[in-house]
mmCIF file of all heavy atoms in Angstrom:
data_model
loop_
_atom_site.group_PDB
_atom_site.id
_atom_site.type_symbol
_atom_site.label_atom_id
_atom_site.label_comp_id
_atom_site.label_asym_id
_atom_site.label_seq_id
_atom_site.Cartn_x
_atom_site.Cartn_y
_atom_site.Cartn_z
ATOM 1 N N ASP T 35 10.578 43.625 16.360
ATOM 2 C CA ASP T 35 10.663 42.225 15.959
ATOM 3 C C ASP T 35 9.497 41.851 15.042
ATOM 4 O O ASP T 35 9.069 40.712 14.999
ATOM 5 C CB ASP T 35 10.753 41.297 17.179
ATOM 6 C CG ASP T 35 9.496 41.332 18.018
ATOM 7 O OD1 ASP T 35 8.614 42.167 17.744
ATOM 8 O OD2 ASP T 35 9.399 40.516 18.950
ATOM 9 N N THR T 208 -11.176 18.099 -21.156
ATOM 10 C CA THR T 208 -10.654 17.225 -22.214
ATOM 11 C C THR T 208 -9.218 17.614 -22.537
ATOM 12 O O THR T 208 -8.365 16.767 -22.778
ATOM 13 C CB THR T 208 -11.517 17.303 -23.491
ATOM 14 O OG1 THR T 208 -11.681 18.675 -23.814
ATOM 15 C CG2 THR T 208 -12.862 16.632 -23.273
ATOM 16 N N TYR T 214 0.722 18.226 -18.585
ATOM 17 C CA TYR T 214 1.777 17.891 -17.624
ATOM 18 C C TYR T 214 1.897 19.095 -16.695
ATOM 19 O O TYR T 214 2.134 20.213 -17.172
ATOM 20 C CB TYR T 214 3.124 17.675 -18.318
ATOM 21 C CG TYR T 214 3.220 16.360 -19.077
ATOM 22 C CD1 TYR T 214 2.989 16.319 -20.458
ATOM 23 C CD2 TYR T 214 3.582 15.185 -18.417
ATOM 24 C CE1 TYR T 214 3.093 15.125 -21.156
ATOM 25 C CE2 TYR T 214 3.684 13.987 -19.116
ATOM 26 C CZ TYR T 214 3.431 13.965 -20.484
ATOM 27 O OH TYR T 214 3.536 12.780 -21.167
ATOM 28 N N LEU T 244 -10.498 17.947 -10.954
ATOM 29 C CA LEU T 244 -9.336 17.066 -11.145
ATOM 30 C C LEU T 244 -9.295 15.952 -10.101
ATOM 31 O O LEU T 244 -8.516 15.007 -10.229
ATOM 32 C CB LEU T 244 -8.035 17.877 -11.072
ATOM 33 C CG LEU T 244 -7.853 18.928 -12.172
ATOM 34 C CD1 LEU T 244 -6.583 19.734 -11.929
ATOM 35 C CD2 LEU T 244 -7.818 18.273 -13.545
ATOM 36 N N ILE T 281 -10.521 27.006 6.354
ATOM 37 C CA ILE T 281 -9.142 27.174 6.823
ATOM 38 C C ILE T 281 -8.951 26.753 8.282
ATOM 39 O O ILE T 281 -7.953 26.128 8.632
ATOM 40 C CB ILE T 281 -8.712 28.653 6.629
ATOM 41 C CG1 ILE T 281 -8.370 28.878 5.145
ATOM 42 C CG2 ILE T 281 -7.498 29.007 7.487
ATOM 43 C CD1 ILE T 281 -7.952 30.287 4.813
ATOM 44 N N GLU T 290 11.235 22.168 9.819
ATOM 45 C CA GLU T 290 12.405 21.377 9.401
ATOM 46 C C GLU T 290 13.048 20.720 10.621
ATOM 47 O O GLU T 290 13.272 21.380 11.644
ATOM 48 C CB GLU T 290 13.436 22.293 8.742
ATOM 49 C CG GLU T 290 14.637 21.512 8.197
ATOM 50 C CD GLU T 290 15.712 22.412 7.579
ATOM 51 O OE1 GLU T 290 15.789 23.603 7.941
ATOM 52 O OE2 GLU T 290 16.485 21.895 6.755
ATOM 53 N N LYS T 326 53.056 23.150 12.046
ATOM 54 C CA LYS T 326 52.791 21.816 12.583
ATOM 55 C C LYS T 326 52.543 20.821 11.448
ATOM 56 O O LYS T 326 53.111 19.744 11.420
ATOM 57 C CB LYS T 326 51.574 21.898 13.509
ATOM 58 C CG LYS T 326 51.144 20.587 14.139
ATOM 59 C CD LYS T 326 49.978 20.858 15.099
ATOM 60 C CE LYS T 326 49.230 19.591 15.469
ATOM 61 N NZ LYS T 326 49.966 18.731 16.384
ATOM 62 N N TYR T 377 61.925 59.095 26.462
ATOM 63 C CA TYR T 377 62.177 59.471 25.059
ATOM 64 C C TYR T 377 63.111 58.513 24.339
ATOM 65 O O TYR T 377 63.005 58.302 23.143
ATOM 66 C CB TYR T 377 62.733 60.886 24.998
ATOM 67 C CG TYR T 377 61.687 61.933 25.230
ATOM 68 C CD1 TYR T 377 61.625 62.643 26.413
ATOM 69 C CD2 TYR T 377 60.731 62.185 24.242
ATOM 70 C CE1 TYR T 377 60.643 63.591 26.625
ATOM 71 C CE2 TYR T 377 59.741 63.132 24.443
ATOM 72 C CZ TYR T 377 59.702 63.833 25.634
ATOM 73 O OH TYR T 377 58.723 64.760 25.836
ATOM 74 N N THR T 401 51.211 50.036 29.325
ATOM 75 C CA THR T 401 51.234 50.396 27.911
ATOM 76 C C THR T 401 51.593 49.181 27.060
ATOM 77 O O THR T 401 50.979 48.927 26.020
ATOM 78 C CB THR T 401 52.255 51.528 27.662
ATOM 79 O OG1 THR T 401 51.979 52.597 28.552
ATOM 80 C CG2 THR T 401 52.187 52.014 26.237
ATOM 81 N N TRP T 465 66.951 38.515 41.847
ATOM 82 C CA TRP T 465 67.039 37.621 42.983
ATOM 83 C C TRP T 465 65.663 37.156 43.459
ATOM 84 O O TRP T 465 65.408 35.961 43.561
ATOM 85 C CB TRP T 465 67.785 38.312 44.141
ATOM 86 C CG TRP T 465 67.919 37.437 45.360
ATOM 87 C CD1 TRP T 465 68.838 36.446 45.546
ATOM 88 C CD2 TRP T 465 67.083 37.450 46.522
ATOM 89 N NE1 TRP T 465 68.635 35.819 46.760
ATOM 90 C CE2 TRP T 465 67.560 36.427 47.382
ATOM 91 C CE3 TRP T 465 65.989 38.216 46.912
ATOM 92 C CZ2 TRP T 465 66.978 36.147 48.617
ATOM 93 C CZ3 TRP T 465 65.417 37.941 48.143
ATOM 94 C CH2 TRP T 465 65.907 36.914 48.991
ATOM 95 N N ALA T 481 67.311 36.130 30.920
ATOM 96 C CA ALA T 481 68.123 36.706 29.846
ATOM 97 C C ALA T 481 68.838 37.932 30.381
ATOM 98 O O ALA T 481 68.224 38.783 31.020
ATOM 99 C CB ALA T 481 67.245 37.092 28.659
ATOM 100 N N CYS T 523 73.730 30.673 41.094
ATOM 101 C CA CYS T 523 74.757 29.660 41.368
ATOM 102 C C CYS T 523 75.750 29.609 40.225
ATOM 103 O O CYS T 523 76.941 29.415 40.414
ATOM 104 C CB CYS T 523 74.221 28.271 41.674
ATOM 105 S SG CYS T 523 72.625 27.759 41.213
ATOM 106 N N ASP T 535 82.758 35.608 31.023
ATOM 107 C CA ASP T 535 81.397 36.009 31.363
ATOM 108 C C ASP T 535 81.356 37.205 32.298
ATOM 109 O O ASP T 535 80.321 37.741 32.583
ATOM 110 C CB ASP T 535 80.606 34.842 31.948
ATOM 111 C CG ASP T 535 81.328 34.210 33.104
ATOM 112 O OD1 ASP T 535 82.542 34.026 32.988
ATOM 113 O OD2 ASP T 535 80.698 33.908 34.115
ATOM 114 N N LEU T 598 62.407 20.019 18.813
ATOM 115 C CA LEU T 598 62.955 21.219 18.182
ATOM 116 C C LEU T 598 64.475 21.259 18.307
ATOM 117 O O LEU T 598 65.080 22.318 18.345
ATOM 118 C CB LEU T 598 62.342 22.468 18.820
ATOM 119 C CG LEU T 598 60.844 22.667 18.542
ATOM 120 C CD1 LEU T 598 60.248 23.719 19.455
ATOM 121 C CD2 LEU T 598 60.612 23.059 17.090
ATOM 122 N N HIS T 603 71.244 24.161 28.700
ATOM 123 C CA HIS T 603 70.986 24.848 29.964
ATOM 124 C C HIS T 603 71.108 26.348 29.755
ATOM 125 O O HIS T 603 70.260 27.120 30.168
ATOM 126 C CB HIS T 603 71.999 24.367 31.018
ATOM 127 C CG HIS T 603 71.862 25.069 32.337
ATOM 128 N ND1 HIS T 603 72.938 25.304 33.158
ATOM 129 C CD2 HIS T 603 70.791 25.564 32.980
ATOM 130 C CE1 HIS T 603 72.523 25.939 34.254
ATOM 131 N NE2 HIS T 603 71.230 26.102 34.178
ATOM 132 N N SER T 629 69.378 27.725 46.793
ATOM 133 C CA SER T 629 69.822 26.612 47.639
ATOM 134 C C SER T 629 68.806 26.305 48.724
ATOM 135 O O SER T 629 67.926 27.128 49.027
ATOM 136 C CB SER T 629 71.181 26.952 48.264
ATOM 137 O OG SER T 629 71.041 28.062 49.122
ATOM 138 N N ASP T 674 71.817 49.434 31.658
ATOM 139 C CA ASP T 674 70.542 50.112 31.621
ATOM 140 C C ASP T 674 70.630 51.181 30.558
ATOM 141 O O ASP T 674 71.377 52.140 30.703
ATOM 142 C CB ASP T 674 70.305 50.744 32.995
ATOM 143 C CG ASP T 674 68.966 51.447 33.041
ATOM 144 O OD1 ASP T 674 68.293 51.491 31.981
ATOM 145 O OD2 ASP T 674 68.620 51.931 34.113
ATOM 146 N N GLY T 689 64.862 56.813 45.349
ATOM 147 C CA GLY T 689 66.035 56.679 46.198
ATOM 148 C C GLY T 689 66.913 55.508 45.854
ATOM 149 O O GLY T 689 66.708 54.849 44.849
ATOM 150 N N ASN T 694 65.213 51.088 38.215
ATOM 151 C CA ASN T 694 64.120 50.791 37.302
ATOM 152 C C ASN T 694 64.255 49.379 36.760
ATOM 153 O O ASN T 694 65.338 48.913 36.465
ATOM 154 C CB ASN T 694 64.126 51.758 36.122
ATOM 155 C CG ASN T 694 63.582 53.096 36.546
ATOM 156 O OD1 ASN T 694 62.737 53.157 37.442
ATOM 157 N ND2 ASN T 694 64.088 54.154 35.944
#
Side-chain angles (χ1 to χ4, degrees):
Chain T
D35 65 353
T208 51
Y214 286 97
L244 296 176
I281 282 179
E290 184 182 24
K326 179 176 164 73
Y377 285 107
T401 307
W465 180 80
C523 20
D535 53 317
L598 292 167
H603 177 212
S629 64
D674 181 356
N694 284 330

